Amino acid sequence: MRTATIETTHDDAALVAAALAPDNTSEMTTTTDGDRVVTRIERETTSGLQSTVDDYVVNVDVAERVVQTANRPTNHNT
């Protein structure tokens, strides 16, 4: 079994983790610790692990952007 643990920091780690949850496979666990999102990935093969890590990194980037956009104040001219 091959494993990788990825830790990232975010202003709203819980929200980023929640945004990632739907994309997690059964070989992945994601937790939060303060401002950190910690994801452990287990795969049978090195190539499978690399592919899952690559996908996860893209998903983290998208989740962070979505959270930042959602938390951005808006100016509505009414």
Side-chain angles (χ1 to χ4, degrees):
M1 185 69 63
R2 311 292 189 254
T3 63
T5 301
I6 302 168
E7 296 185 21
T8 54
T9 57
H10 308 274
D11 290 337
D12 195 336
L15 194 54
V16 171
L20 292 168
D23 292 319
N24 282 359
T25 67
S26 61
E27 296 105 349
M28 301 169 72
T29 57
T30 299
T31 59
T32 59
D33 182 13
D35 66 348
R36 295 184 310 136
V37 174
V38 181
T39 299
R40 179 177 164 84
I41 303 168
E42 294 182 351
R43 294 296 304 267
E44 289 292 326
T45 64
T46 302
S47 62
L49 181 63
Q50 180 179 0
S51 177
T52 302
V53 168
D54 287 347
D55 289 346
Y56 178 80
V57 169
V58 170
N59 292 343
V60 168
D61 183 52
V62 171
E64 176 64 22
R65 289 183 200 194
V66 168
V67 169
Q68 287 176 353
T69 300
N71 288 335
R72 186 178 306 142
T74 59
N75 276 335
H76 291 119
N77 295 327
T78 53

